[in-house]
Amino acid sequence: MSAFPTNIPEKTIERLSEYRRTLLSCHRQGITHVFSHVLAGIHGITAVQVRRDLMLIGFSSDTKKGYDVGVLIDFINNILYSENSMNIAVIGMGNLGRAITKYFNSKQLKLRITVAFDIDPAKVGSVIDDIPCYDMSDFEDVVSNNDISIVVVSLPTKAASQLVVPIVNAGIKGVLNFTSAPLNFPQGIVVENYDITTSLEKVAYFVKANEENNNQ
Amino acid sequence: MSAFPTNIPEKTIERLSEYRRTLLSCHRQGITHVFSHVLAGIHGITAVQVRRDLMLIGFSSDTKKGYDVGVLIDFINNILYSENSMNIAVIGMGNLGRAITKYFNSKQLKLRITVAFDIDPAKVGSVIDDIPCYDMSDFEDVVSNNDISIVVVSLPTKAASQLVVPIVNAGIKGVLNFTSAPLNFPQGIVVENYDITTSLEKVAYFVKANEENNNQ
């Protein structure tokens, strides 16, 4: 196996994921080659940024036709995915947990949401959107038996802080947290906090800033 | 009215939104003062960064007890919110649209989700999670009658590109897009694209990178 680059910046990883989606869309439309400035235009960045990102993962293209779409998809897949698939659990199967599960598992990725957890007796023991839903009290056993390495936290915010200890004890390696409470974990556990409120407040601020600038 | 600062960087706005949530939580617990290093620890950043962000919005604190929680909340509110409330519409009332509406409207913010749109006849004309759901064909009229300035797009990805023209025509000022197709709008419309897949792929990459580093 060739050396896996472990030092790629977070923002580059985000963009690689985004390029990959656009490339897959090109591929489905039968487009075989794409120029850096076309990718850049779609994603609202500069062509220099695109080329820099791809250079970081060791990809370059000297063809006059632009990047080979199929080859570049494979290249990005090798960065984003393990050779082995990674299993994901969702904690909290309310509207958000179900939306994430359906959305994510509808894509053909090596990452799969394979189990869910909830505390609602109406959900525990049933199969929701094709995945089994377990009681939180069985968390450690289920994680171990299903080789889960990542959890998605989509519970009400006030319940989220109680999850830190079980997540650490179960040996989870990565957490995507959708509650509005930032969760702090020991070093070695990857955490991504995302709060919808922040995104909406950001849009609202820049709408207001645009209005103020137009009024000046 | 004092001058509204229109040039605050995106990342600072995100952090102000996050500080505000933590400060509100402090306030509810009866905590009246907080040090920059405490805020920094909760959010996983440096105290220097916290102080720099607050300096950018003209806030400083020379008290030995740290920042006054109530005053700082008011200060951030003035940056994040208009004096007038801003109305938001959700396009697509599936699981994700409903999760966002419930989550967001459960908070006491000046930003409110006030109407929804869908194409499903079972939803159109009904009230879902306390807001009325309209047909997409009435988009322009409803936006105008309800003074909507921001839309949240939570449709299936393949339907999203058809929204660009109606959104522009209706005079929408800001878009929060949850589909995996980046939407491009004319300058002057604020767009925030968020894709769950990117967040999960990022967590997966850093989990894999940690494993590789541990194996070396």
Side-chain angles (χ1 to χ4, degrees):
Chain A
M1 186 182 144
S2 66
F4 176 76
T6 60
N7 56 349
I8 301 178
E10 200 173 320
K11 287 287 159 198
T12 298
I13 293 293
E14 286 180 16
R15 286 190 296 266
L16 289 173
S17 166
E18 290 159 8
Y19 301 154
R20 182 181 168 282
R21 266 198 307 284
T22 300
L23 292 164
L24 285 171
S25 167
C26 290
H27 187 70
R28 282 192 297 271
Q29 295 167 59
I31 299 166
T32 59
H33 288 78
V34 65
F35 287 106
S36 55
H37 64 84
V38 175
L39 269 183
I42 293 169
H43 294 282
I45 55 176
T46 65
V48 170
Q49 182 70 68
V50 172
R51 290 195 292 269
R52 198 181 286 147
D53 287 337
L54 298 186
M55 233 145 55
L56 269 177
I57 61 168
F59 185 85
S60 63
S61 161
D62 49 13
T63 161
K64 290 249 165 58
K65 296 188 285 182
Y67 301 128
D68 183 305
V69 168
V71 175
L72 183 49
I73 290 171
D74 287 344
F75 227 89
I76 297 179
N77 279 347
N78 284 338
I79 302 295
L80 293 184
Y81 299 118
S82 292
E83 282 165 50
N84 310 316
S85 57
M86 267 195 206
N87 293 330
I88 302 169
V90 169
I91 305 178
M93 273 305 253
N95 283 315
L96 182 60
R98 294 192 56 183
I100 293 167
T101 303
K102 273 196 213 171
Y103 174 79
F104 203 71
N105 283 355
S106 71
K107 309 190 176 276
Q108 303 303 318
L109 301 173
K110 280 197 177 176
L111 293 167
R112 298 283 303 170
I113 296 174
T114 52
V115 300
F117 294 92
D118 210 291
I119 53 165
D120 179 352
K123 289 175 185 161
V124 168
S126 67
V127 172
I128 305 174
D129 298 328
D130 297 330
I131 63 169
C133 185
Y134 296 96
D135 195 287
M136 263 313 283
S137 62
D138 298 325
F139 186 71
E140 278 190 55
D141 285 344
V142 175
V143 163
S144 162
N145 295 339
N146 292 274
D147 196 20
I148 303 292
S149 44
I150 295 174
V151 293
V152 174
V153 179
S154 52
L155 288 170
T157 296
K158 60 181 186 297
S161 60
Q162 298 163 22
L163 293 177
V164 174
V165 171
I167 285 172
V168 173
N169 285 346
I172 292 295
K173 302 278 186 285
V175 179
L176 177 54
N177 172 27
F178 283 102
T179 76
S180 57
L183 296 179
N184 291 317
F185 287 95
Q187 236 191 338
I189 297 181
V190 178
V191 187
E192 175 82 1
N193 294 302
Y194 177 75
D195 188 319
I196 294 161
T197 314
T198 297
S199 288
L200 262 175
E201 288 181 343
K202 198 163 77 170
V203 171
Y205 167 79
F206 286 106
V207 166
K208 189 179 166 193
N210 279 348
E211 280 170 2
E212 295 281 333
N213 284 333
N214 290 338
N215 290 340
Q216 274 167 16
Chain B
M1 184 182 144
S2 66
F4 175 76
T6 59
N7 57 350
I8 301 178
E10 200 174 320
K11 288 286 160 197
T12 298
I13 293 294
E14 286 180 16
R15 286 189 296 265
L16 289 172
S17 165
E18 290 160 7
Y19 300 155
R20 182 181 168 282
R21 266 198 307 284
T22 300
L23 292 164
L24 286 171
S25 167
C26 291
H27 187 70
R28 281 193 297 272
Q29 294 166 59
I31 299 167
T32 61
H33 288 78
V34 65
F35 287 106
S36 56
H37 64 85
V38 174
L39 270 184
I42 293 169
H43 294 282
I45 54 176
T46 66
V48 170
Q49 183 70 68
V50 172
R51 290 196 293 268
R52 198 181 287 146
D53 287 336
L54 298 185
M55 234 145 54
L56 269 178
I57 62 168
F59 185 85
S60 63
S61 161
D62 50 11
T63 161
K64 291 249 164 55
K65 295 190 284 183
Y67 300 128
D68 183 305
V69 169
V71 174
L72 183 48
I73 290 171
D74 287 343
F75 226 91
I76 296 179
N77 280 346
N78 284 338
I79 303 295
L80 294 184
Y81 300 118
S82 292
E83 282 164 53
N84 310 317
S85 57
M86 267 195 204
N87 294 330
I88 303 169
V90 170
I91 306 178
M93 273 306 250
N95 282 314
L96 182 60
R98 295 191 56 183
I100 292 167
T101 303
K102 273 197 213 173
Y103 174 80
F104 204 72
N105 283 357
S106 71
K107 310 190 176 279
Q108 302 303 317
L109 301 173
K110 280 197 177 176
L111 294 167
R112 298 284 302 171
I113 296 174
T114 53
V115 301
F117 294 93
D118 210 292
I119 52 164
D120 179 353
K123 290 175 185 162
V124 169
S126 66
V127 172
I128 305 174
D129 298 328
D130 298 331
I131 61 169
C133 185
Y134 296 97
D135 195 287
M136 262 314 283
S137 62
D138 298 325
F139 186 71
E140 278 190 55
D141 286 344
V142 175
V143 163
S144 161
N145 295 339
N146 291 274
D147 197 21
I148 303 292
S149 44
I150 295 173
V151 293
V152 174
V153 178
S154 51
L155 287 171
T157 296
K158 59 182 186 296
S161 61
Q162 298 163 22
L163 293 177
V164 172
V165 172
I167 286 173
V168 173
N169 285 347
I172 292 294
K173 302 277 187 284
V175 179
L176 177 53
N177 172 28
F178 283 102
T179 75
S180 58
L183 296 179
N184 291 317
F185 288 96
Q187 236 190 338
I189 298 181
V190 177
V191 186
E192 174 84 0
N193 294 302
Y194 177 77
D195 189 318
I196 294 161
T197 314
T198 297
S199 288
L200 262 175
E201 289 182 342
K202 199 163 76 170
V203 171
Y205 168 78
F206 286 106
V207 166
K208 189 180 167 193
N210 279 347
E211 280 170 2
E212 295 282 333
N213 285 332
N214 290 338
N215 289 341
Q216 274 168 13

